[in-house]
Amino acid sequence: MPLLSSLLPLAQAQAGGGTRELVDNLARTPLSKVVIFVVVLSAFRLAVFPLLLKTPIHKRGVGYAFGRFFNEMLDAFIYAGVFVFMLIRPFGVQAFLIPSARCGQPSM
């Protein structure tokens, strides 16, 4: 039984647990906030990309590498936000917690 509880930490979390609250808050994020988040990240990405494109090859150092990394991370967050919050959550899977009176009682 300890193996099962380690595989399902969210299902076994007590009320007021940090991980459970985080997951619940993310699951209830309004679509408007997700759209604003994606737009802001897209604006940052569009601001960084021309700077990277105009940098001559002989001047590409640590700053260029950091800028490229930052640009790629913004890209990943944008795609993840759109994919998870706008496609999977509304049309695919959404977890629900259904409380019952037997949750606190030991089984026979």
Side-chain angles (χ1 to χ4, degrees):
M1 198 62 164
L3 178 64
L4 183 61
S5 65
S6 66
L7 292 175
L8 300 172
L10 295 177
Q12 302 297 325
Q14 298 296 320
T19 305
R20 182 174 166 193
E21 286 181 15
L22 176 67
V23 170
D24 285 343
N25 289 338
L26 283 175
R28 290 186 177 91
T29 303
L31 192 57
S32 61
K33 286 187 179 181
V34 174
V35 170
I36 290 169
F37 182 71
V38 167
V39 167
V40 168
L41 291 183
S42 297
F44 279 133
R45 187 183 184 287
L46 291 174
V48 171
F49 183 71
L51 298 173
L52 295 174
L53 197 59
K54 292 179 184 177
T55 304
I57 294 175
H58 66 281
K59 291 187 177 182
R60 294 180 181 177
V62 177
Y64 178 81
F66 176 74
R68 242 180 100 92
F69 175 76
F70 184 68
N71 199 24
E72 295 294 328
M73 291 306 294
L74 289 175
D75 213 14
F77 282 126
I78 291 168
Y79 290 135
V82 168
F83 186 68
V84 170
F85 287 100
M86 295 182 184
L87 294 175
I88 292 178
R89 189 180 75 175
F91 302 112
V93 178
Q94 176 139 2
F96 293 98
L97 175 66
I98 303 172
S100 66
R102 291 193 51 122
C103 285
Q105 299 175 356
S107 59
M108 298 178 146

